[in-house]
Amino acid sequence: MELTVNGERHSLDIEGDMPLLWVLRDELGIMGPKFGCGIGACGACTVLIDGVPERSCALPVQYVEGAVTTIDGLSGDGVLTAVQEAWIAEQVAQCGYCQAGQIMSATALLASNPAPSDADIDEAMSGNLCRCGTYPRIRAAVKRAASTQSARS
Amino acid sequence: MASVGKIARRTFLIGTAAIAGGLAVGAYAYRRPPENPLVARADDGEAVFNPYLTIAPDETITIFVPRAEMGQGVSTTLAALVAEELDVSLEKVVVEHGPASEAYANIAMLEDGLPFPTYDESTMATIARSGVGIAGKFLALHVTGGSSSTVDAFEKMRQAGATAREALKQAAATRWGVQPTELETDAGSVRNPATGETLSYGVLAADAVEAPVSRDIPLRAPENWKLLGKSQPRTDMRAKVTGAPIFGVDVALPDMLHATVRINPHFGGGVLSLDTEAARQMRGVHSIIEIDHRLGRGFAVIADNTWRAFMAADAVVVEWEKPNSTLDDAAVSELLAAAVGTGSRDVMRDDGDTDIIFADHARDRIIEAEYHVPYLAHAAMEPMNATARFADGRLDLWLPNQAPNLIQAVAAAALDIPTADCTVNTTSLGGGFGRRAEPDVAVYAALIARETGGRPVKLIWTREEDIAHDYYRPAATGRLRAALGADGLPEALDVVVAAPPIFSPMASRFYPSISLPGPDKSIVDGAFNQPYAIANYRVAGVKTDIPVPVGIWRSVGNSINGFFHECFMDELAAASGIDPLEYRLKLMAPYPVATALLEKVADMSDWRSEPAEGRARGLAFTLSFGTWVAEVVEIARDDRGIRVENVWCAADPGIVLDPGIFEAQMMSGIVFGLSAALGQEITLSEGRVQQSNFHDFDALRIDRCPAIHVEILQNAPRMGGAGEPSTPPVAAALGNAIFALTGERLRRMPFAHDVTFV
Ligand code: FES
Ligand code: FES
């Protein structure tokens, strides 16, 4: 089986029904996506497949068509994305466990909707649980990233 | 080259300016913990100043924090205590968890303290005080909990920085032949202002650790602080926005196996039969073993991949023993109702003579109510996990945890090895909330590692296992009554709370032979110790034995009693026709710290102006963990239901070391409390938990999260905590807002039973 992750191609001898999350974590050692629930209910495992956010814990690897991007592949050469920079500026993370998934969801949101409303943010981000309750700062960070992205472009 | 031991530990550093790239652990360092746990680790010329600080010749300054980073910011705030006195910026330091050591957590005190050496058993009062004291020590000193981290570290870690700074100046003074008092420190260097010469800390460190310095160096006054008292960028932020492998689940060791466990979900039950035949044939399965420990009985699957372990565990055919098969929610309610009515009471507050007031009081001026809360799971985002390696008679553990010494002792005992032959490495925690002070997952990992011929093995629970095997926030029932005087204020307040005790079973999980006699403070915490001036004021707890494992859950008993006490206060205000704010201002008049917060939160929320049509506000106040907190919740109703729109929080921790992190903790605690108030509930049937994952035990999500506004006052005479105190009042403030909006008094959590939230 062939899989492209963060621009790198991998050949894998694995069961087709293994969820992408465990292929990434246990077979490829890509630890950015986290395991939180295994049933698509928390968003900790969110990755992008051709830019679309997917819950990798509930996605059998045989159904992956397209290039996978994890948080590990977001920032090339240590240069952070506008979303990551906004997360730092707003000091969002507490325990941090959910934040890889939050950042991937926010990245996908801003790619498709550069100026999201509060309702857009709530809708796009409500699949990502945060037990530390960082939501107020997530909202601020998404807005900050939106405005820096629009200033850059 | 840097020693492999150093690489291994640096892998799990929790904050650094430049986060290391990948995760590749080469080997292990086996060393017995010395008195200063860092001395033996100090390879390649690293100078060890004290248990909190090392400086390497390459200018790497490492600050070791003695408490677990679980989101509450200790890796920033505690590091800033050292950095403040050392004159280095936080961007320039590396932060690590200190290893399990007596230097950080006085385990000897617990071991000596628990068997109750000396106290007067002649009076109940003395027994009561002893019980409370022991429970308090257990919580505050030996786990990261009780919101105690900054309070505990405030003097110690500043002193560590100051002593090192003076030693560095002494070393420079010797080189230059001047007096240390002539020298200055700044940005990691010692400078001679007379000559302009500088020497960096890295260059001086080796000499400095030998330099004689006075023990009592005066600490800097708050007005001279450069870092403390100001919001600092978190040292762990970059790692956490780049997905760095810092958590327990991210541990990766060479030749590592993966595992999962299934423990009998019927509390206290064993394994009747186990058929592993099919499971053992599955791809990647290494072995399947039975787990038989006092903390849990079941089985473990060891495989070459976590998912394969999960799948094989599903394929095992197991028959569980089912003790307590009649235990369900109705049974719990009955046990609590019986206990609150007739159970043996531990009176924890008894001002005036409550019985006399009630005996003589007009019946129609007595208000009574009964409140109830359910069991709750912690459901930290990172499922329970631990990595273990057992080789050559030594056990090494890597896990996110809140109590390294205690876990070390229990895990070592499980393998029958001396405690000193076990090391506990603390990774970053993907949430803790009290759950990660427990030893169970480490014990299972140790038992599994015994079966892998020296290969390390990473145990990860499924979320289902995590929900089924928590140490839950107890269910509780409170019976409250008040005798109202002519002025509408309570002449007498009588509170009885029935709940399972927390501290005694928790202590016995670490030390099976120990039980804590006397009252359990957690049962009445948040009710017996509130700053209300009521002449006749009695608060009693009833320990109620129910065979459900319970433990410490963010804010512990305050999470229960903040709700009971503060909704009942609102009931009294309503019965007297007095505004709830004015009511509290009168009752708290002798406590200006509290009244200042009430005025503050009233300003913030515009309390004294009438809310718009379809909106309402509720107020509550709880003093917990030394921090005084007043909160107002504002809700709005539309045709779909009720929406929580705003929470205003005024908090007074005495001194705030990092306002940004403190604010984040207040928000966090509020969201945690709202999650419980709105919808969380662990229910029981046939002696087991019915919930299994986030679909039936959800938490607040961003779409229902209110705007949260926090203001900090610093009037309190002593320093309080940050991690928990905002949780207790929020459910009560919400309940009071619902009453103000609908006239319906909700006395049972979660409120979703009675209200539709949108
Ligand atoms: S782990 Fe995938 S959604 Fe929770
Ligand atoms: S930051 Fe801890 S779960 Fe989101």
Side-chain angles (χ1 to χ4, degrees):
Chain A
M1 183 173 304
E2 302 281 305
L3 195 65
T4 303
V5 185
N6 300 330
E8 215 175 301
R9 247 186 124 55
H10 303 270
S11 287
L12 295 157
D13 165 30
I14 42 166
E15 306 90 310
D17 57 348
M18 185 182 291
L20 174 62
L21 175 67
W22 296 111
V23 178
L24 294 171
R25 291 186 58 84
D26 285 5
E27 302 295 319
L28 299 177
I30 295 169
M31 296 299 197
K34 302 297 184 224
F35 170 55
C37 69
I39 59 165
C42 77
C45 64
T46 305
V47 300
L48 305 184
I49 299 180
D50 288 343
V52 177
E54 297 280 358
R55 309 293 183 230
S56 65
C57 72
L59 179 65
V61 64
Q62 65 197 355
Y63 299 131
V64 176
E65 285 177 13
V68 178
T69 306
T70 73
I71 190 152
D72 316 75
L74 218 49
S75 50
D77 306 329
V79 180
L80 302 185
T81 65
V83 174
Q84 289 170 310
E85 290 290 1
W87 246 247
I88 291 177
E90 296 292 341
Q91 293 283 294
V92 174
Q94 291 186 28
C95 87
Y97 195 80
C98 72
Q99 298 297 341
Q102 306 279 4
I103 287 170
M104 297 314 280
S105 291
T107 300
L109 167 66
L110 292 176
S112 65
N113 180 355
S117 66
D118 285 357
D120 294 339
I121 294 171
D122 281 359
E123 191 186 322
M125 304 296 293
S126 63
N128 290 83
L129 202 54
C130 175
R131 282 294 272 149
C132 298
T134 61
Y135 305 127
R137 290 189 178 181
I138 288 175
R139 283 187 186 132
V142 173
K143 287 182 189 163
R144 177 187 284 264
S147 65
T148 51
Q149 269 183 355
S150 70
R152 278 184 200 177
S153 58
Chain B
M1 68 177 238
S3 81
V4 286
K6 181 168 170 172
I7 293 169
R9 72 183 167 86
R10 285 276 152 85
T11 301
F12 299 105
L13 51 84
I14 49 185
T16 168
I19 189 74
L23 180 68
V25 179
Y28 317 89
Y30 298 127
R31 297 187 179 108
R32 287 179 175 276
E35 275 192 1
N36 179 338
L38 306 183
V39 168
R41 300 171 153 225
D43 33 33
D44 54 24
E46 239 178 344
V48 178
F49 284 81
N50 48 56
Y52 305 105
L53 179 67
T54 64
I55 301 179
D58 68 358
E59 309 295 337
T60 303
I61 297 172
T62 307
I63 297 176
F64 292 81
V65 293
R67 295 293 171 262
E69 177 58 70
M70 48 190 179
Q72 83 284 43
V74 289
S75 62
T76 304
T77 308
L78 298 192
L81 292 168
V82 177
E84 177 68 57
E85 292 287 343
L86 190 60
D87 286 323
V88 291
S89 75
L90 279 180
E91 296 92 81
K92 288 278 158 31
V93 305
V94 174
V95 184
E96 286 187 49
H97 282 133
S101 168
E102 293 176 14
Y104 307 116
N106 193 342
I107 192 73
M109 199 167 169
L110 175 65
E111 284 172 339
D112 291 345
L114 283 177
F116 301 96
T118 50
Y119 62 84
D120 181 1
E121 293 189 60
S122 62
T123 68
M124 267 311 289
T126 311
I127 295 171
R129 281 196 299 275
S130 303
V132 172
I134 296 292
K137 278 177 204 160
F138 183 72
L139 185 65
L141 297 181
H142 302 286
V143 294
T144 301
S147 296
S148 62
S149 298
T150 50
V151 182
D152 185 57
F154 186 52
E155 300 288 325
K156 280 188 256 185
M157 292 188 73
R158 285 188 300 152
Q159 197 67 53
T163 314
R165 180 194 72 226
E166 290 307 310
L168 289 157
K169 280 163 69 178
Q170 181 66 56
T174 306
R175 290 204 190 186
W176 288 326
V178 297
Q179 288 301 310
T181 46
E182 297 167 31
L183 304 179
E184 295 171 349
T185 49
D186 183 38
S189 293
V190 182
R191 183 167 169 276
N192 183 345
T195 64
E197 286 176 293
T198 62
L199 282 168
S200 69
Y201 287 176
V203 169
L204 293 167
D207 290 351
V209 289
E210 308 294 337
V213 280
S214 145
R215 289 249 143 245
D216 43 16
I217 296 156
L219 297 174
R220 287 178 177 160
E223 54 270 27
N224 297 326
W225 285 345
K226 297 196 195 90
L227 304 177
L228 298 174
K230 302 173 181 68
S231 299
Q232 300 299 323
R234 289 179 66 125
T235 61
D236 54 354
M237 192 57 72
R238 190 177 169 100
K240 289 175 176 178
V241 304
T242 53
I246 57 174
F247 299 101
V249 296
D250 300 331
V251 173
L253 302 170
D255 208 23
M256 185 175 78
L257 290 161
H258 301 263
T260 199
V261 290
R262 297 288 159 88
I263 301 297
N264 188 339
H266 305 269
F267 298 124
V271 175
L272 295 179
S273 73
L274 197 63
D275 176 358
T276 62
E277 188 54 34
R280 272 188 288 125
Q281 308 305 320
M282 292 169 68
R283 178 170 172 186
V285 173
H286 172 280
S287 53
I288 299 175
I289 62 164
E290 198 166 329
I291 300 278
D292 186 1
H293 190 269
R294 60 184 171 82
L295 294 175
R297 292 176 189 83
F299 64 91
V301 176
I302 305 164
D304 62 357
N305 171 299
T306 309
W307 181 75
R308 290 187 184 124
F310 289 175
M311 290 298 105
D314 285 347
V316 169
V317 182
V318 60
E319 195 187 342
W320 300 121
E321 186 192 1
K322 296 179 181 173
N324 309 309
S325 60
T326 58
L327 182 70
D328 58 14
D329 293 323
V332 169
S333 294
E334 277 169 36
L335 287 167
L336 291 171
V340 83
T342 57
S344 158
R345 295 177 181 182
D346 295 317
V347 177
M348 299 289 282
R349 176 175 197 154
D350 198 3
D351 302 348
D353 195 331
T354 309
D355 282 334
I356 285 189
I357 303 293
F358 279 103
D360 292 347
H361 213 75
R363 294 297 99 185
D364 65 346
R365 299 293 290 156
I366 292 178
I367 310 283
E368 289 184 84
E370 194 166 298
Y371 282 79
H372 183 77
V373 293
Y375 288 101
L376 292 171
H378 296 81
M381 281 304 296
E382 181 184 16
M384 296 301 287
N385 67 88
T387 302
R389 181 179 190 268
F390 183 59
D392 309 323
R394 293 196 52 98
L395 174 66
D396 293 294
L397 290 164
W398 292 262
L399 74 157
N401 76 91
Q402 297 175 244
N405 294 62
L406 297 170
I407 286 168
Q408 177 188 34
V410 183
L415 297 192
D416 227 357
I417 61 172
T419 300
D421 289 344
C422 172
T423 58
V424 175
N425 302 283
T426 303
T427 65
S428 287
L429 283 66
F433 315 124
R435 176 62 178 91
R436 292 197 148 98
E438 298 286 346
D440 52 344
V441 70
V443 165
Y444 302 150
L447 293 171
I448 293 166
R450 192 167 57 183
E451 309 296 328
T452 57
R455 291 178 73 178
V457 56
K458 176 163 67 177
L459 163 65
I460 299 185
W461 293 14
T462 59
R463 175 60 63 189
E464 288 77 9
E465 194 71 11
D466 188 278
I467 300 282
H469 292 286
D470 204 343
Y471 294 95
Y472 304 89
R473 199 289 304 275
T477 296
R479 193 169 281 180
L480 301 93
R481 58 179 184 146
L484 297 179
D487 57 0
L489 299 178
E491 262 180 73
L493 178 62
D494 188 18
V495 181
V496 184
V497 182
I502 290 174
F503 293 116
S504 183
M506 190 170 177
S508 70
R509 289 196 283 273
F510 293 107
Y511 297 95
S513 59
I514 281 169
S515 72
L516 297 175
D520 189 309
K521 172 175 171 280
S522 73
I523 295 172
V524 289
D525 222 355
F528 83 103
N529 45 7
Q530 296 305 299
Y532 284 88
I534 299 169
N536 305 280
Y537 198 165
R538 183 170 64 195
V539 180
V542 182
K543 293 206 276 189
T544 313
D545 285 322
I546 302 172
V548 175
V550 293
I552 50 175
W553 183 96
R554 196 174 197 169
S555 83
V556 201
N558 295 284
S559 71
I560 298 167
N561 292 304
F563 169 52
F564 293 178
H565 194 274
E566 287 302 289
C567 280
F568 193 63
M569 264 319 147
D570 204 70
E571 293 201 47
L572 302 186
S576 303
I578 302 175
D579 175 83
L581 172 71
E582 306 306 329
Y583 202 73
R584 285 184 177 78
L585 285 170
K586 288 182 209 282
L587 288 171
M588 294 188 183
Y591 303 95
V593 174
T595 52
L597 285 171
L598 289 169
E599 291 292 359
K600 182 64 166 179
V601 84
D603 279 355
M604 291 165 69
S605 63
D606 208 8
W607 178 271
R608 289 185 171 98
S609 79
E610 198 60 34
E613 175 65 25
R615 305 176 83 87
R617 303 183 200 113
L619 168 69
F621 178 97
T622 309
L623 164 59
S624 64
F625 308 97
T627 294
W628 312 54
V629 182
E631 289 172 8
V632 169
V633 169
E634 184 177 54
I635 56 175
R637 179 165 49 190
D638 65 20
D639 47 5
R640 293 171 306 138
I642 287 177
R643 183 173 172 79
V644 184
E645 296 246 315
N646 285 288
V647 178
W648 293 275
C649 167
D652 190 335
I655 301 173
V656 67
L657 295 179
D658 187 308
I661 287 176
F662 187 88
E663 178 200 58
Q665 283 306 295
M666 293 300 107
M667 291 180 172
S668 177
I670 286 166
V671 171
F672 206 78
L674 283 177
S675 287
L678 261 57
Q680 287 180 334
E681 180 173 33
I682 287 291
T683 59
L684 302 164
S685 174
E686 297 182 351
R688 61 173 292 177
V689 164
Q690 292 181 290
Q691 288 69 31
S692 63
N693 205 318
F694 290 126
H695 67 289
D696 54 10
F697 191 82
D698 204 357
L700 198 73
R701 290 169 184 266
I702 198 169
D703 56 340
R704 290 190 183 172
C705 183
I708 303 175
H709 320 268
V710 178
E711 296 262 6
I712 305 165
L713 299 185
Q714 301 188 65
N715 300 321
R718 271 188 299 279
M719 186 189 233
E724 298 167 275
S726 71
T727 301
V730 75
L734 175 58
N736 296 341
I738 291 169
F739 175 77
L741 186 69
T742 68
E744 197 184 346
R745 177 62 64 185
L746 302 186
R747 300 192 182 91
R748 173 175 285 260
M749 285 216 267
F751 300 148
H753 284 309
D754 302 291
V755 169
T756 303
F757 290 102
V758 292

